[in-house]
Each structure stands twice: as structure tokens, then as C-alpha cells.
Amino acid sequence: MANANDFESFLKELKGFIPESRLISDPLRTLTYGTDASLYRLIPRLVVRVSGESEMTRILPLANRHRIPVTFRAAGTSLSGQAITDSVLLVVGDEWRKWRIARDASRISLQPAIVGGHANRLLAPHGRKIGPDPASLNACHIGGIAANNASGMCCGTAQNSYQTLDSMRVILADGTLLDTGDPESRAAFARSHSGLVEALAELGQRTRADTALADRIREKFRIKNTCGYSLNALVDFEDPIDILQHLMIGSEGTLGFIAEITYRTVVDPKHKATALILFPDIASACRAIQIIKPLPVAAAELMDRASLHSVEDKPGVPAALKGLGPDAAALLVETRADDAGLLAEQGQTIVSALSEVETLSPVTFTANRPECDRLWAIRSGLFPSVGSMRKTGTTVIIEDVAVAVPKLAALTMDLQDLFRRHGYEGSIIFGHALEGNLHFVITPDLGQPEAVERYRAFMDELSEMVVARHDGSLKAEHGTGRNMAPFVELEWGAQAYGLMRELKGLFDPENLLNPGVLLNDDPDVHTRNLKPMPAVDPLIDKCIECGFCEPTCPSRAVTLTPRQRIVALRELARLDNSGEAPARAKQIRKSYRYQGLDTCAVDSLCALACPVGIDTGKMVKQLRGKGWGPAAHRVSGWMAGHFGPITVATRAALGSAHALHSIIGTRMMSGMTGGFRRLSGGRIPLWNPFMPRAARSAPKSRPAGPWAPRVVYFPSCASRTMGPARGDPETESLSVKTEALLRKAGYEVVYPEGIGAFCCGQPFESKGFPDDAAAKLKELEASLWEASRQGQDPVVFDTSPCAFRARRDIQSGLSVYDLADFLHDFVLDRLEISRVSETIALHPTCSTIKMGLQPKLRAIAEACAEKVVVPAQVHCCGWSGDRGFTFPELNAAALKDLRSELPDECEDGYSSSRTCEIGLSLHSGRHYRSIVYLLDRCSQPRKDLLPQGGITKP
């Protein structure tokens, strides 16, 4: 660690080219930004959000000059402590998400902050994907995938980052940028860094000349191995720059920074079939692996009895799992092909080959996608099931080792014995059996000194067992990190370990790049700086801090993510329990109001991504409620009781704002309202040019012919008050448009009596007033029950967040539909659609996603428009009810990629929430409106629809 003077000099120079807003040193954010998915905790002294190569090439030599250790950080999903530091953390954020695909899609160039799953979505239209496929693919970043040489279920050792690397842009400790795909850059680097190039060439020659060592290295990499450096680069390549770029793979940020990587892509077959095969014991399952390994098997996942037991009560899991004996095991096998006929042949080949192994039931493959997904859900549910069942305060540790396939059964049984002897009952074993790669999960309470000693003894014995007894790798695909750093020499031996030390010295002679990771002289580093996991609230205590929630979080680029919100609460609980550092606790608590509560969109999409189903949005709503005083609750109650007049006043205010806007123009209106907001300290909501005009007053029911089916339509408070924006070619309010569309489809439209006073309660719930929210919904429910003739008629909500809340909480048996749901199922077929030759944008709201209605919303859009664009990197819009007015930075951060992801020819956007559409319009420069407008514009009544046609209650 540098002294205070060196650090201050370093910081002063940083401020010369990096804005202070991206230099983070406060207690809350250094804690939360510095947390990764591992069992370790270090708090950085400074966090720097680095925006591009030009900054990184200046920061690294500056750190070198002042002897400041730095650590690179992408998604922080690493499990072994690779992305933490108590010095300077260099965070690679959304600015590092550029990509290029070759014309034939044989290569893809990716910057380090692109999520792995997004890379595959980019390649999917070409029938290709990247080789690595870690389980965290939808959360981890490309930078981490490459730096840890992460692999996964299907890529094995043939399609990992090392094997599919084409070229990279790498920045070394002295700030030099080398583009290994550019001959001129290679030549210039060979001249400017001749000493390093010559040393790598000599090291490679020396290693290859030592036949025993070279053979040992090749043998070690026949199985998965991410323990230590990629020494195979020294025997696989002769060109020193090829050696250099392959050494970067798996180096965990200790040799340099990967600013871009170009992969050779691999084919992604269209057809897939899956079989869950049950065996009487592990030995039988492992024998089966040896039989099917040469066959066309894409994946074979081994699960021991403890694994199967952990998920056997989950919905959709085959009942046969409950009746298995204590020694049973299973393989989940998948085969893939480009056509259905070949797929069937491959499946039969595998079934025939397995006839010589005892199974507990006949082996059958299914190509039915939903069925396959249910089977894979068993495998993907293993880690979450253990995480959710563990005792509060315990840590989830997942490790992975690998051996040659013939040794797999013995390794599995040895691991089970090790668990028993060290008191880790209930631990599970699963893994990528085709590669001899096993994962295991234990949940010790590392807050107890004796538990730490037990873990130390376990790791010592595990390492000896894997290396000495089975000649395996101590890290197959999770990277070495801090957890295995003390055992690298044990696995590799003194000679190979010496090569690793030489390499580190060549690239980073001052030991400033991620020091202590991968190579470490401290034999106890794996039991130091352990992360505390104090109890906070049952809602969040099961959090394993994996970071899977972060990619879709709308506040991730402006304040905190769900993981970070939980980390902060745990630290506050720890500080409060210990009485330690009250001043620090006060600072964190003060910052948390804005960082943790005010700028959370409470969209609850995090719960869908979370392996253990934690709804951080729900937690934030509760915390908001606890923070309100009696006066706030009285105000909320008054507003709930006077909702009708409030909506009338809101319409009047919108009408006045629209009139003023028309008179003074956009520029003056923006300046004036922005000035008022600044003078108020941000208390006055922010006006923007896409603010809605006033909607028409509350609609009334109109009778139709006796033949018409009835539908109860509830326009939300937003659609009753907010009309289209100024300049929108559509001038009718949503409620008017929706009624017209429903009547066009032959429905009699009925409204609940006294509609102007009703609300589903969503605005009250999101602010933390659950009692008022429940009262409003109960009031609405009673009116809808009456209007629907005691539930005989369907009820349609025109705003997805309101529909979601009603569907979730209404208990009376009403048939509640979101607009997309009802239009898709009961309106489309009653209209004649004329598709328009246009490109449109579509935004599924958070509630649409939670209700699983994205396919229906998209189907409506595709029935109406020639091309539909759903921006892949835009998730929740961050408007969050009214937060877009009061905390516009949240909406801006959530939609910062929207405009760039929409093609120029896209002129209009559609969604299903009026408030969300304000922010979408503002940040896209296009008018967003309800999907109703599109369907109404493209449709006519069906001439052949008989008057007696109707709908039946589902």
C-alpha cells in the first residue's frame, strides 16, 4: 500500500483528467462498489469509473509512478475474490460496451463490459455464439469471462476463451496499448518493448525445450484448469505476442487489462434434445460418462443424491426424484444438431450406447422446448436451493475442481467423505461431467473462529486429495483468486510455479496489478478478510451477493444496485451490532436515503434474476414506509380519501402547463421550470417537452346492442389525467382510444361507477404506504365486482403496473386482464388488420415482464408493423411512477442506451404505461404511446363477425 503522500499526489493528477463525479471515496459507495460474489471483503480506498481506453492508458502509468496498487472490476460475479481491493478499484462500466461482428459472423469483437448473454443475443440471428458459456452468462461481463478463462456446461476445454481467442487489445502496466490483431501495432510493440518480447520468446523456448515440463503442462490442460497462469501459452505458441495474448486469458487482471477481445465464434445448432437419466449410484453415472463422451453430446451434467434432494420438492420436478435411494445419481444430457432428423439419430445412438449401464428407468430424450427447460431448471436450481435453505448468517461457498473422467467417480465419493468428516452435511456435488469438472457447495458460518479453522482444515485436505490422490486441478473454471492462491505451487510444483513468478515479474515488476490474487506468499490469505453476513431482514437474508440482479437494474449506472443496497444494510447491521465506528455508520445511513431508497425504481425485476428470488424492490418499499413520520402518513391518508379532486386538479395543472408551453415555447419553458427546480433544491418536479396534455374528463358507460359481449374497462389514474404530449400526431386520450378500439371489436364497454375517485393503490404502495394502497385497491375491487355483474364480465386495465397489482392482490375471483393480454386473446381475431410498412420500437414494461406478457405484446406489434425493435440493453425505464419527475437522473440512466439502439427509420414507440412513455419519449426523441394506438390505426371491424359472437370467461 502506498503512503498518504503518494496517494494524494496520485489523486490530484487523476482529477486533472477524470471528473470528480467518477472518483468515488465516500464510505457507502466504496463499500458497495467494492463487493464481489466471493466470500471476501476488502473496501477500496478509491473507486474510479473509467470511461475508455484513453483514460486507462493514463491511469496505469500514473499508478505505476506513484506505486499505487490497482484492481480491475467488471461485473463482480467472480467467486474467488478476484475483483476486490483495499487500494484503487478501476470499474469498467457501461461505456465499455462496443462490439463489432464480422460480415460472416465468424468473429465478434467485444469490449469488456458487454454481458456474455448479450453477446450471444447479438450472434443468434447468425446461428452462432461465443464459446464460453458460464452459468453466470446473463450477468458476467466479457472482461471477466476472458480474465478468468470461464467456461461452462458446453464449451469444455475446446471452446473456452483461450481456444477461441482471435486477438485482443490489451493495456499493460506502463499504459502501452497493444492491438494483437493489427500487424502495425504488433511491430511497433516489438520495437518499443523489445525486452519483454525477447524475454517471452526465451521463456517459451526454454519451456518447450524441457520435454518433461512441456509434457506436464500439456497434460495439465487436457482437463479444465484455471489454477495459476495459462502456462500452455508457452508450449502452444512460438510468436511472443501470441504467447502474450494467451497469457492474458485467465490472468485475473494481474498482467494487464483486456480492453477488447475478438473471439472466433462457434456454431449454435438449432435443434436440441434433453434426457434426465437416473442411476443407482455415482459409479454407474460416471461409467456412463465415459461411454457417451465420444458421442455427439453437447452437455452432461452430473448431480449427486444430495443435489437431487435439494430440488425434489420444487414445482415441475419429476416425482421419481423423491423415491430415489441414498446412493442415487443423475445425468442431465443434451445433444444438438442442425436438423430434427439428425437430432433423433443422435439421441438414439446415445440411448443404445447406454444400454450396457444400469439405469433406474428407460432413457428417453425430449426435443419439446418447454419440457427441456423444465429439466434444465433442475440443474439450474441446485445452487439457489442451497443458498435459500442455508442458515441465516452463513456463507455460500462454491468451489470447482477437475480430474480426468476415469477418476470422476472416485473423486465424487472422496468429496462426500470429506464433507462428512468436516461436518458439512447437506453439501451438494454437481458439475460438468464430460470434462471431469465437479462443483460443490458448502455453507459455513465464517463469523465463528472455530468455523474458520474448520474451513482451513477442509481446504488443506481438499487440496492434497485433488492434487496428490487424483492429479486434478484445484480450479477448473472459476479462476484462482484468493481462495486457491496459497495452493497454486502445491498443484504445479516448484518449477512451473517459478515460471509463473517470472511471468508476473516481466509484466508487473512492482506487483501493482491486482496484487495478492493468483500468486500470494501468505499461506492463510484464503481465510483472511472474510465477508460478514449479519442478519438484516428475512426478505434479504438469503442474498448470496452474486450480482445476477445487476444487469437489468435501472439505477446501476447512477447510484446502487440491488446487491449493493443489501451490502450496505448488512454493513449497517454489523456496525450497529458491534457499536463500531458510529460516525461511519451515520455517514452510510445518511447517503443511503438517496443512493439506496430514493433512486430505487422498485420494479422488482431483480427478483426474476435472483437465484434465490429476493425482491429488493419490496424491501425498499418497506424501508420507505418505515422512514415516514406520522405527518406523512396523515397526508397519504388524506390523498387516498380525496383522490377524485386530486385527479381533477392534476388535469387542470397539466392543462395550464400545456397552455403556457404553447405560448412561451419549449426553450423558455425548459429554462424557467429548470430554474424553479434548482431554486427549490430539487423539490419541484422537472418539466420536459414530452409532458402530457390534460386528458379528457372521466368516461361514462354507453349501451351497445343486446348482442354485444360486455367488458369492464378501468382506465388508470394516469390515463384519466394524462393525454398525449404536445406535438404528438395522436391527439385523443388513451381512454377514448381504448374505448373506441373495444367497440370497434364489437364489445359493449362498461365503466365502474364513480371512476374518477378510484386508484389501484400502486402510487401509495411504491412510496411505502401499504395500508392506503390496500384500502384503495379494496375500494376499486368492490366497484369492479359490481360493474362486472359479480365477476361475470372480464375487467381490462389499460396500464400494466395497475394490472399487475390487481392480478396479484385481488381475491374476489374477478377476471383481470392487462391490455396486452386482452387485446391479444380477445380483440385481434375480431378485427381486420392491415400491417403498416414501418419500423416501430416496443418497450415491455417491468409489469409486462413480471406477468410474462412480452410475447403477447410483441405479437400485437408484429401483427401491425413490418418491423418491431425491442432494444436489447434497455430494461426498466426507471420512471417508477413519478420518480421520473422527482429524480429524473434515474430515468436518464436507465434509458441512456435507448436512442443509440433505435434505427433511424424507427419513428414511433409503443408500450403499456402512460408514465413510462413520458421518459421513453424524452430519451428516444420519438413519441411513445400505448399499443392501443397502433392497433387502432391498423384495424377495421371484421365484416364477417356475427352479432352473437362473444367471449367466455377464462
Side-chain angles (χ1 to χ4, degrees):
M1 176 67 71
N3 64 44
N5 289 337
D6 285 339
F7 185 82
E8 289 306 316
S9 299
F10 170 73
L11 183 58
K12 182 178 179 181
E13 290 193 54
L14 270 185
K15 290 178 179 178
F17 62 94
I18 293 182
E20 289 201 38
S21 61
R22 291 196 276 114
L23 299 174
I24 298 164
S25 58
D26 63 272
L28 172 62
R29 289 185 294 167
T30 51
L31 164 76
T32 56
Y33 283 39
T35 297
D36 70 359
S38 74
L39 63 155
Y40 302 104
R41 162 67 45 76
L42 289 172
I43 299 176
R45 193 171 180 180
L46 176 71
V47 176
V48 184
R49 296 187 69 132
V50 186
S51 72
E53 288 182 352
S54 61
E55 288 185 356
M56 192 66 82
T57 56
R58 296 179 69 178
I59 292 171
L60 293 187
L62 184 62
N64 217 30
R65 189 161 68 250
H66 292 286
R67 299 181 61 81
I68 304 293
V70 296
T71 294
F72 308 115
R73 164 69 175 267
T77 58
S78 50
L79 295 163
S80 301
Q82 296 96 320
I84 60 171
T85 181
D86 56 4
S87 182
V88 174
L89 190 69
L90 303 179
V91 175
V92 179
D94 290 353
E95 299 84 0
W96 297 79
R97 295 198 301 186
K98 296 183 178 65
W99 52 271
R100 302 184 310 280
I101 297 178
R103 189 180 298 274
D104 62 356
S106 62
R107 287 168 175 74
I108 185 169
S109 301
L110 302 162
Q111 285 195 323
I114 290 180
V115 174
H118 183 57
N120 281 347
R121 287 189 287 276
L122 294 169
L123 289 165
H126 308 281
R128 302 186 75 84
K129 63 185 183 72
I130 60 171
D133 62 339
S136 58
L137 192 67
N138 288 320
C140 64
H141 291 176
I142 290 297
I145 290 174
N148 291 291
N149 198 19
S151 47
M153 290 183 284
C154 299
C155 86
T157 55
Q159 295 181 349
N160 60 20
S161 292
Y162 182 93
Q163 297 294 349
T164 58
L165 169 66
D166 184 72
S167 63
M168 67 170 60
R169 292 171 68 85
V170 59
I171 301 174
L172 299 184
D174 64 359
T176 300
L177 172 64
L178 165 64
D179 183 348
T180 67
D182 178 2
E184 291 186 9
S185 179
R186 292 173 73 114
F189 185 81
R191 291 191 297 271
S192 65
H193 289 68
S194 56
L196 174 60
V197 170
E198 289 168 5
L200 287 174
E202 188 276 328
L203 203 57
Q205 289 170 359
R206 189 198 330 153
T207 304
R208 293 189 297 275
D210 188 332
T211 306
L213 177 60
D215 288 346
R216 177 63 177 157
I217 290 171
R218 293 187 185 99
E219 190 63 29
K220 290 289 291 178
F221 285 102
R222 292 192 202 283
I223 60 173
K224 284 186 177 183
N225 195 326
T226 60
C227 187
Y229 289 121
S230 298
L231 293 182
N232 45 343
L234 297 173
V235 297
D236 291 344
F237 301 95
E238 295 186 8
D239 185 301
I241 291 180
D242 286 338
I243 292 174
L244 182 154
Q245 67 171 348
H246 284 85
L247 283 169
M248 290 294 157
I249 301 297
S251 64
E252 301 175 27
T254 63
L255 301 182
F257 172 71
I258 301 172
E260 180 185 271
I261 183 167
T262 298
Y263 282 113
R264 294 187 296 275
T265 61
V266 300
V267 173
D268 187 17
K270 296 178 183 177
H271 299 275
K272 300 170 186 178
T274 306
L276 179 64
I277 310 170
L278 304 177
F279 299 89
D281 49 51
I282 282 284
S284 301
C286 292
R287 184 176 169 220
I289 285 294
Q290 295 184 65
I291 292 171
I292 65 175
K293 186 171 174 62
L295 303 180
V297 174
E301 294 294 294
L302 176 69
M303 295 170 276
D304 73 347
R305 183 64 185 99
S307 296
L308 299 172
H309 178 69
S310 72
V311 294
E312 64 186 24
D313 291 321
K314 304 289 184 184
V317 172
L321 265 58
K322 284 191 176 181
L324 295 177
D327 299 320
L331 286 178
L332 190 62
V333 177
E334 184 163 284
T335 184
R336 301 176 178 181
D338 284 325
D339 66 77
L342 179 58
L343 184 75
E345 287 179 23
Q346 290 178 182
Q348 189 52 53
T349 299
I350 297 167
V351 170
S352 299
L354 289 175
S355 61
E356 59 186 86
V357 183
E358 182 185 358
T359 60
L360 297 178
S361 57
V363 180
T364 56
F365 278 87
T366 177
N368 178 276
R369 201 66 246 161
E371 222 176 300
C372 292
D373 291 343
R374 280 194 294 272
L375 291 176
W376 279 104
I378 297 172
R379 164 62 176 83
S380 60
L382 297 179
F383 183 37
S385 69
V386 175
S388 63
M389 292 187 302
R390 79 188 195 279
K391 181 182 174 183
T392 297
T394 57
T395 298
V396 177
I397 300 176
I398 180 169
E399 277 300 346
D400 76 308
V401 295
V403 295
V405 170
K407 299 179 181 180
L408 191 61
L411 174 65
T412 307
M413 289 183 282
D414 281 348
L415 280 173
Q416 290 173 335
D417 179 59
L418 198 62
F419 295 154
R420 284 190 292 270
R421 288 189 289 102
H422 288 272
Y424 294 135
E425 291 83 4
S427 299
I428 66 172
I429 299 173
F430 58 96
H432 316 315
L434 281 179
E435 304 302 327
N437 177 195
L438 292 182
H439 300 306
F440 60 86
V441 180
I442 60 175
T443 56
D445 181 358
L446 296 179
Q448 306 299 321
E450 62 274 15
V452 175
E453 287 307 309
R454 181 154 55 103
Y455 177 65
R456 185 201 312 275
F458 171 82
M459 289 296 292
D460 287 344
E461 192 169 344
L462 169 75
S463 302
E464 285 288 346
M465 180 189 79
V466 172
V467 173
R469 194 179 309 168
H470 299 290
D471 194 23
S473 55
L474 292 171
K475 278 290 191 176
E477 58 180 11
H478 292 172
T480 310
R482 298 173 186 277
N483 207 22
M484 281 298 177
F487 307 103
V488 175
E489 185 171 7
L490 171 69
E491 174 173 337
W492 280 96
Q495 186 180 12
Y497 188 70
L499 284 178
M500 295 183 190
R501 286 290 187 186
E502 281 190 70
L503 289 168
K504 176 66 171 173
L506 285 174
F507 284 90
D508 181 25
E510 300 298 327
N511 193 29
L512 298 175
L513 298 182
N514 212 359
V517 168
L518 200 144
L519 303 179
N520 198 306
D521 291 329
D522 182 356
D524 296 321
V525 66
H526 62 308
T527 58
R528 300 192 194 282
N529 302 304
L530 298 174
K531 183 190 293 181
M533 301 288 276
V536 176
D537 187 298
L539 276 175
I540 61 171
D541 285 340
K542 298 304 181 186
C543 176
I544 54 181
E545 298 185 9
C546 63
F548 283 22
C549 56
E550 295 187 336
T552 59
C553 177
S555 60
R556 73 186 191 282
V558 64
T559 52
L560 302 183
T561 66
R563 167 169 64 175
Q564 293 168 338
R565 290 180 169 93
I566 292 171
V567 166
L569 290 177
R570 283 177 168 165
E571 177 67 359
L572 286 172
R574 185 189 72 81
L575 293 172
D576 291 345
N577 292 340
S578 66
E580 174 190 332
R584 172 179 163 80
K586 184 178 180 181
Q587 280 183 289
I588 292 175
R589 194 167 273 112
K590 181 180 178 182
S591 299
Y592 195 79
R593 178 73 214 185
Y594 172 75
Q595 297 279 340
L597 302 184
D598 291 343
T599 52
C600 177
V602 296
D603 58 19
S604 295
L605 290 184
C606 47
L608 300 183
C610 175
V612 293
I614 292 172
D615 186 344
T616 314
K618 183 177 181 181
M619 175 201 75
V620 168
K621 291 173 190 175
Q622 290 188 3
L623 291 174
R624 286 176 181 172
K626 291 175 183 176
W628 295 120
H633 283 275
R634 285 195 296 271
V635 170
S636 174
W638 182 89
M639 293 181 70
H642 296 79
F643 205 78
I646 288 173
T647 55
V648 171
T650 303
R651 271 199 306 274
L654 289 172
S656 299
H658 172 64
L660 183 60
H661 183 199
S662 301
I663 294 169
I664 67 174
T666 299
R667 184 174 180 181
M668 188 173 290
M669 187 78 169
S670 296
M672 182 178 69
T673 55
F676 288 153
R677 178 172 168 80
R678 285 190 294 274
L679 289 172
S680 72
R683 294 180 180 86
I684 295 176
L686 181 67
W687 178 91
N688 71 67
F690 288 93
M691 288 286 282
R693 292 173 284 185
R696 290 193 184 184
S697 57
K700 297 179 181 178
S701 303
R702 287 188 292 165
W707 55 268
R710 294 173 92 249
V711 59
V712 177
Y713 167 38
F714 178 66
S716 71
C717 52
S719 57
R720 296 198 308 271
T721 55
M722 298 178 181
R726 180 173 183 255
D728 190 336
E730 295 282 2
T731 57
E732 292 285 5
S733 299
L734 174 58
S735 58
V736 175
K737 207 61 141 172
T738 303
E739 179 185 333
L741 179 63
L742 293 172
R743 291 175 68 86
K744 183 193 294 187
Y747 289 99
E748 177 181 353
V749 180
V750 178
Y751 297 94
E753 288 293 327
I755 190 173
F758 292 134
C759 169
C760 72
Q762 180 72 15
F764 298 92
E765 182 191 40
S766 66
K767 289 180 175 57
F769 300 105
D771 293 341
D772 295 326
K776 293 305 294 180
L777 183 60
K778 186 175 180 181
E779 183 181 82
L780 173 62
E781 183 178 2
S783 181
L784 293 174
W785 181 255
E786 189 68 28
S788 66
R789 299 181 295 181
Q790 291 72 49
Q792 293 183 59
D793 305 316
V795 178
V796 178
F797 283 67
D798 63 7
T799 302
S800 291
C802 305
F804 173 77
R805 175 168 164 75
R807 285 169 62 147
R808 184 191 67 192
D809 294 343
I810 282 179
Q811 303 294 322
S812 60
L814 284 171
S815 296
V816 175
Y817 290 90
D818 176 71
L819 198 57
D821 205 9
F822 192 80
L823 294 179
H824 180 274
D825 290 358
F826 301 117
V827 173
L828 276 180
D829 288 345
R830 300 173 69 89
L831 298 170
E832 289 184 1
I833 311 291
S834 300
R835 181 184 284 184
V836 294
S837 181
E838 295 176 10
T839 297
I840 66 159
L842 190 67
H843 178 77
T845 68
C846 313
S847 299
T848 304
I849 294 168
K850 288 185 287 187
M851 290 185 285
L853 296 178
Q854 313 98 296
K856 291 185 178 182
L857 183 67
R858 182 158 192 155
I860 297 167
E862 290 176 341
C864 297
E866 190 172 283
K867 185 177 180 183
V868 177
V869 177
V870 182
Q873 300 203 88
V874 175
H875 307 284
C876 170
C877 72
W879 192 270
S880 188
D882 63 356
R883 304 256 146 187
F885 296 124
T886 53
F887 297 97
E889 63 273 27
L890 174 62
N891 179 235
L895 296 180
K896 59 187 169 54
D897 296 315
L898 178 59
R899 191 184 294 261
S900 63
E901 287 211 41
L902 295 178
D904 293 339
E905 65 271 17
C906 176
E907 296 184 358
D908 292 296
Y910 296 91
S911 189
S912 57
S913 171
R914 184 66 192 93
T915 51
C916 296
E917 290 152 15
I918 300 170
L920 291 162
S921 300
L922 174 64
H923 294 289
S924 70
R926 300 156 171 86
H927 286 285
Y928 271 76
R929 53 187 81 93
S930 172
I931 193 70
V932 165
Y933 289 88
L934 178 64
L935 182 56
D936 181 65
R937 178 161 65 95
C938 298
S939 65
Q940 295 296 326
R942 276 224 347 235
K943 296 183 178 63
D944 62 337
L945 192 65
L946 297 176
Q948 63 266 30
I951 64 171
T952 57
K953 178 179 174 180

